[in-house]
Amino acid sequence: MRLDRFLGELNLGTRSQVKGLIRRGAVTVNGIPALNPDQRIDEATDRVALHGKELQYRRFVYYMLNKPEGVVSATRDNVSRTVVALLGKDAREDIFPVGRLDKDVTGLLLLTNDGELAHRLLSPKRHVDKTYLAVLAHGLRQADIRRLESGVDIGEERPTLPARVEVVEYDDAVFQTDKVSEARTVCPARTIRLTLHEGKFHQVKRMLQAVDNEVVSLRRIAFGGLCLDPKLRPGEYRELTGEELKILRTATAGDTEV
Ligand code: URA
């Protein structure tokens, strides 16, 4: 790997800042000042130091992004901005999103270069939890909730796996009509928290369609036991802490996939 890339991947500055550090003699490789940013190093065996302090290379990086609307969950796209582009031009080139959120869907998306962890998180056999906050076009009735929870037909070979539905907000409009008594008994939900143990294409939207409803807006608020950091505004991201990484590893632990 090139020396300037090695330093860039440790987030020690932009490419040009890193080149400046090298040219000023601040960087040594195996104790010898390295003055050429193009110099190639072996990140596994060479000892690289900045201002005399040895640097540890990190093979893998993990980010939590609050995905905004209008951005695609891809590494490249000819038309739209990608989630990877939100990390900026100095980000490592091997980072990819862990799964996809639709272009109009917001919220928690993990980005990493750790293919094995990503595979474990996405494996349909591991049933890693995903929680969404969905605002619906119509009030959702108790019978619909029971159907969503036990599994609905979304046109796949099998119905969806059992899911969990929690009502976050009731449909106030119904309480303002002459159907008040009905509303008191059926309590149609307007906003729900839906937890799935699988991740089929457009799954939440298709599940709500299956009960004659429609998703107006959708945000993922948790994935693999991690909650979206409320301090992250749409488009912002941060690295996962060691503790959060442990939570993800626990959620995908075990050798067997069922
Ligand atoms: N369900 C959807 O319909 N879309 C997503 O992006 C994620 C889950």
Side-chain angles (χ1 to χ4, degrees), residues 100-105 132 196 200-206 215 218 220:
R100 308 169 74 90
L101 289 176
D102 298 338
K103 194 171 175 182
D104 61 341
V105 173
Y132 298 88
L196 307 180
K200 300 216 158 68
F201 186 60
H202 294 329
Q203 182 158 348
V204 177
K205 293 173 186 165
R206 287 159 75 199
V215 172
L218 190 60
R220 184 155 68 188

Side-chain angles (χ1 to χ4, degrees), residues 11 63 85 101 168 194 220 258:
N11 291 333
Y63 296 100
L101 289 176
V168 174
L194 178 62
R220 184 155 68 188
V258 280

Side-chain angles (χ1 to χ4, degrees), residues 68-133:
E69 249 187 281
V71 173
V72 292
S73 302
T75 50
R76 279 158 198 266
D77 193 273
N78 289 335
V79 181
S80 305
R81 191 142 198 239
T82 68
V83 288
V84 167
L86 293 175
L87 300 184
K89 63 178 171 40
D90 293 314
R92 291 169 65 139
E93 284 160 16
D94 53 356
I95 295 174
F96 57 88
V98 179
R100 308 169 74 90
L101 289 176
D102 298 338
K103 194 171 175 182
D104 61 341
V105 173
T106 62
L108 174 51
L109 187 67
L110 298 175
L111 297 154
T112 184
N113 57 346
D114 182 345
E116 194 186 324
L117 183 68
H119 172 77
R120 291 167 88 90
L121 284 164
L122 297 173
S123 166
K125 296 179 181 158
R126 284 189 191 271
H127 309 295
V128 171
D129 282 6
K130 299 156 194 81
T131 302
Y132 298 88
L133 195 66

